[in-house]
């Protein structure tokens, strides 16, 4: 079993307190590797490495073209080593190898190529004389040394979504991956070094969020924290980051509605409901979780969905025919089971699933069958809170206003979708839904060119698209006087010459 070190200042180092943490395979419950648990001193060294490399200008002053070429090499090297990335990510996350090889890795490579290209084409306000006496211009500059904290659900992808726009714009970063899934982030460090990212620009430290992550959030040497994870931790980090008013970018939880009107193509909606609800074993911030179905088509939708769920192949993530693997941990499985219980206690009716399946050879894996629950209790925890597991909460609605009002009535605002064949209903819904993404007759798709961003307690800031590049920059106004006069005409308004 491999013991991974941390990557600080271009070197692989052990924890200064010789502490290691086990990393498990969620489909067996057995360890697959160990990683270092960073001490306070280690966190400080990683932050110093990022700070010094940024201040040296070695990366921050490189041209966008030069940075882009290095990041494009990273994309090529991930592709070249994709078999290893696919194997490690599958073993460590429990997601199906089908999803990781067909979607996670190629999509992540596409994200990198997009960001690498887009950093060369930033746009903005034209340089011009917005007052008669002078010329104004806009500069976009890197923010500095940035702490990046990522979740376990898309280990490699989430570090790319946060660290790569930062790197593309010339920042230096310290990344702390989730303790459940740190392995591919550590593998990435070698690739960045090989591609030519200078020492100190990309650092990876591992260890518990409650110590390592908090230390980063408090640090006065970091200029920004970019966090992807739960709303609860996002709120805590915002408080800690206030110590030096560092910039905070938050990509947090979701509770996506999936609204099916009576004129929708029900077969298409059911196919997408399965994918939207179960992508990533139901552990995706975009997952469709609240299925609002118009009463006229309710029975048809539910009966088709039930049949479709029964056909799912739940099993060994390494088997290419597996559709759904285990949840990330025992804690996560118990949390999901707790929500199912609560949903029933609060008036919901379990229509199918929710049990622990027997998977031959994987008795200790954290498996659960997808659960389908119908409820009329709009205030139930399964309607309002993020479960982050394979639970389909089914609700009935009467008309447009009823569906939109109830869909918006959550603290989250990340993804949402609407199913209809009527263009006016679709257009109205895209206006009225208070979510960062509204899909029409689809759910989950986010092209690299488009932003993934939250409303309300789903956070602020954007991943992907040119907006994510701007997120990791300061905006600077530069003004040039054009008169050459000792006293400009307007000075008299302030004091008479
Ligand atoms: P989490 O518990 O909030 O953890 C996320 C990261 O924060 C981990 O690296 C964790 O470290 C660290 N952390 C935990 N407590 C911390 C603290 N007090 N201070 C600083 N860092 C701390 O979230 P998760 O369970 O990994 O991920 C699931 C959540 O992420 C869901 O809510 C999901 O919706 C959200 N998510 C959002 C997006 C998006 O784009 N909006 C994308 C993916 C996931 P440890 O692992 O060591 O605890």
């Amino acid at each position: 079993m491999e013991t991974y070190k941390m990557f600080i200042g271009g070197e692989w180092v052990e924890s200064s307190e010789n502490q290691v943490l086990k990393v498990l395979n969620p489909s067996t419950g057995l360890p697959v590797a160990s990683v270092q648990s960073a001490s306070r001193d280690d966190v400080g060294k990683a932050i110093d490495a990022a700070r010094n490399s940024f201040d040296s200008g070695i990366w921050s002053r490189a041209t966008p073209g030069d940075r882009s070429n290095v990041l494009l090499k990273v994309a090529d090297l991930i592709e070249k080593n994709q078999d290893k990335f696919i194997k490690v990510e599958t073993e460590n996350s429990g997601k199906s190898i089908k999803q990781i090889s067909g979607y996670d890795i190629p999509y992540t490579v596409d994200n990198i190529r997009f960001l690498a290209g887009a950093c060369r084409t930033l746009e903005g306000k034209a340089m011009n004389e917005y007052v008669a006496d002078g010329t104004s211009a806009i500069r976009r500059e890197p923010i500095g040394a940035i702490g990046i904290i990522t979740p376990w659900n898309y280990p490699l992808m989430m570090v790319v979504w946060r660290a790569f726009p930062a790197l593309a714009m010339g920042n230096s970063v310290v990344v702390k991956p989730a303790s459940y899934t740190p392995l591919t982030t550590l593998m990435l460090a070698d690739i960045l070094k090989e591609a030519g990212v200078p020492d100190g620009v990309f650092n990876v430290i591992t260890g518990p969020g409650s110590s390592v992550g908090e230390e980063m959030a408090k640090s006065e040497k970091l200029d920004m924290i970019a966090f992807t994870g739960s709303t609860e931790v996002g709120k805590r980090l915002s408080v800690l980051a206030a110590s030096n008013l560092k910039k905070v970018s938050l990509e947090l939880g979701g509770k996506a509605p999936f609204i099916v009107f009576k004129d929708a193509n029900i077969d298409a909606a059911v196919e997408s409901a399965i994918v939207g609800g179960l992508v990533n074993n139901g552990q995706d911030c975009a997952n469709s979780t609240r299925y609002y179905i118009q009463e006229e088509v309710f029975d048809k939708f539910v009966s088709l969905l039930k049949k479709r769920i029964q056909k799912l192949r739940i099993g060994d993530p390494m088997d290419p025919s597996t559709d759904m693997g285990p949840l990330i941990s025992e804690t996560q499985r118990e949390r999901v089971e707790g929500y199912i219980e609560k949903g029933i206690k609060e008036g919901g009716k379990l229509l199918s699933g929710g049990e622990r399946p027997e998977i031959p050879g994987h008795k200790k894996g954290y498996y659960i069958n997808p659960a389908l629950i119908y409820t009329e209790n709009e205030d139930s925890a399964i309607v309002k809170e993020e479960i982050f597991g394979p639970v389909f909460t089914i609700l009935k609605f009467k008309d447009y206003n009823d569906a939109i009002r109830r869909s918006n009535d959550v603290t989250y605002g990340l993804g949402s979708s609407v199913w209809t064949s009527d263009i006016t209903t679709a257009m109205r819904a895209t206006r009225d839904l208070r979510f960062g993404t509204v899909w029409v007759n689809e759910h989950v798709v986010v092209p690299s060119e488009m932003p993934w961003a939250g409303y309300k307690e789903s956070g602020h800031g954007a991943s992907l698209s040119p907006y994510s590049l701007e997120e990791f920059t300061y905006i600077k106004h530069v003004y040039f006087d054009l008169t050459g006069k000792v006293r400009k005409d307007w000075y008299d308004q302030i004091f008479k010459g």
Side-chain angles (χ1 to χ4, degrees):
M1 198 176 70
E2 193 173 345
T3 300
Y4 288 68
K5 294 182 181 172
M6 296 183 287
F7 192 71
I8 299 178
E11 305 285 332
W12 288 101
V13 299
E14 291 179 349
S15 153
S16 62
E17 288 175 355
N18 287 320
Q19 300 261 17
V20 292
L21 302 169
K22 276 193 184 132
V23 177
L24 304 181
N25 175 340
S27 82
T28 61
L30 298 172
V32 282
S34 299
V35 294
Q36 311 296 316
S37 182
S39 65
R40 218 169 153 197
D41 194 37
D42 299 325
V43 179
K45 282 186 182 142
I47 292 173
D48 283 345
R51 176 85 270 149
N52 294 337
S53 72
F54 180 78
D55 292 343
S56 77
I58 188 167
W59 182 251
S60 52
R61 294 270 162 92
T63 64
D66 286 345
R67 291 196 299 261
S68 173
N69 286 338
V70 171
L71 298 184
L72 288 170
K73 257 187 227 157
V74 172
D76 292 346
L77 285 168
I78 294 176
E79 260 180 356
K80 193 172 149 202
N81 292 283
Q82 66 177 341
D83 290 349
K84 185 157 186 226
F85 273 101
I86 290 167
K87 180 173 180 291
V88 173
E89 194 85 314
T90 308
E91 275 175 1
N92 190 191
S93 69
K95 302 192 267 186
S96 73
I97 195 162
K98 190 168 55 167
Q99 182 190 314
I100 290 181
S101 59
Y103 169 62
D104 288 23
I105 301 293
Y107 177 55
T108 303
V109 167
D110 184 66
N111 299 157
I112 296 174
R113 290 198 172 122
F114 168 76
L115 293 166
C119 77
R120 303 183 68 172
T121 63
L122 279 200
E123 291 180 1
K125 208 168 177 65
M127 187 170 176
N128 210 331
E129 290 69 53
Y130 296 101
V131 296
D133 287 352
T135 301
S136 285
I138 289 293
R139 290 178 60 88
R140 281 270 173 198
E141 296 185 350
I143 286 179
I146 299 180
I148 303 226
I149 302 178
T150 55
W152 46 258
N153 67 335
Y154 287 95
L156 184 69
M157 193 190 297
M158 288 304 101
V159 70
V160 164
W161 280 23
R162 303 308 249 152
F164 278 60
L167 293 173
M169 297 314 296
N171 300 281
S172 292
V173 301
V174 177
V175 180
K176 191 213 91 66
S179 298
Y180 285 127
T181 54
L183 303 184
T184 47
T185 304
L186 289 161
M187 285 165 60
L188 191 60
D190 261 337
I191 298 250
L192 264 72
K193 188 168 171 105
E194 187 180 342
V197 174
D199 292 350
V201 170
F202 184 80
N203 307 276
V204 185
I205 52 177
T206 46
S210 53
S211 53
V212 177
E214 296 220 354
E215 203 58 43
M216 289 166 70
K218 281 188 276 188
S219 168
E220 307 223 333
K221 292 184 183 171
L222 286 178
D223 303 296
M224 176 176 176
I225 285 281
F227 171 76
T228 304
S230 62
T231 295
E232 188 192 348
V233 174
K235 287 181 181 176
R236 167 96 185 122
L237 288 180
S238 304
V239 172
L240 296 175
S243 62
N244 66 335
L245 286 183
K246 60 175 73 62
K247 181 172 178 180
V248 179
S249 170
L250 301 173
E251 295 273 1
L252 309 175
K255 190 74 185 167
F258 185 103
I259 308 168
V260 182
F261 286 95
K262 64 184 177 198
D263 59 10
N265 179 333
I266 302 300
D267 292 320
V270 168
E271 286 302 311
S272 173
I274 295 278
V275 175
L278 297 180
V279 60
N280 225 44
N281 304 341
Q283 304 165 123
D284 186 317
C285 52
N287 276 137
S288 40
T289 57
R290 298 178 288 145
Y291 295 80
Y292 287 101
I293 316 296
Q294 198 155 21
E295 46 195 19
E296 291 86 341
V297 290
F298 184 87
D299 291 343
K300 182 176 178 191
F301 180 89
V302 173
S303 104
L304 284 174
L305 184 63
K306 235 165 132 177
K307 275 192 206 141
R308 201 64 193 74
I309 288 176
Q310 275 155 11
K311 289 197 180 150
L312 274 173
R313 288 155 294 200
I314 301 174
D316 180 356
M318 295 304 281
D319 178 341
S321 69
T322 293
D323 296 317
M324 193 179 135
L327 301 188
I328 190 70
S329 65
E330 186 56 36
T331 312
Q332 189 66 12
R333 178 162 67 170
E334 285 169 6
R335 177 187 152 95
V336 172
E337 288 171 336
Y339 270 111
I340 296 171
E341 235 173 76
K342 223 175 185 184
I344 296 167
K345 223 185 250 169
E346 292 174 344
K349 188 170 170 207
L350 183 65
L351 304 177
S352 67
E355 329 81 359
R356 296 182 174 199
E358 286 279 322
I359 309 291
H362 294 263
K363 277 211 163 100
K364 293 203 169 147
Y366 314 123
Y367 289 89
I368 188 164
N369 284 329
L372 207 61
I373 307 184
Y374 168 62
T375 188
E376 289 176 4
N377 180 359
E378 197 67 27
D379 295 324
S380 176
I382 58 170
V383 182
K384 295 290 186 224
E385 295 171 21
E386 186 181 45
I387 301 173
F388 223 53
V391 178
F392 294 76
T393 302
I394 316 281
L395 303 112
K396 215 180 261 180
F397 74 88
K398 278 193 176 20
D399 56 27
Y400 178 87
N401 287 338
D402 181 31
I404 300 294
R405 182 187 53 76
R406 289 160 64 194
S407 295
N408 282 337
D409 190 18
V410 281
T411 53
Y412 295 107
L414 201 51
S416 61
S417 67
V418 55
W419 293 79
T420 178
S421 56
D422 180 64
I423 185 71
T424 309
T425 305
M427 287 298 289
R428 284 177 70 201
T430 58
R431 179 197 63 187
D432 295 340
L433 286 166
R434 303 277 298 156
F435 295 82
T437 295
V438 183
W439 290 285
V440 178
N441 297 332
E442 182 56 292
H443 201 99
V444 173
V445 183
V446 186
S448 299
E449 291 80 356
M450 289 291 133
W452 181 242
Y455 278 34
K456 304 193 277 186
E457 292 194 13
S458 289
H460 43 72
S463 287
L464 300 179
S465 78
Y467 302 106
S468 74
L469 296 166
E470 291 182 2
E471 181 86 357
F472 291 95
T473 61
Y474 279 131
I475 190 163
K476 183 185 273 180
H477 171 213
V478 180
Y479 180 89
F480 304 88
D481 170 59
L482 291 178
T483 65
K485 290 182 180 169
V486 172
R487 280 190 63 82
K488 280 80 176 180
D489 298 344
W490 67 275
Y491 286 4
D492 280 355
Q493 295 164 16
I494 313 302
F495 71 101
K496 203 96 179 119

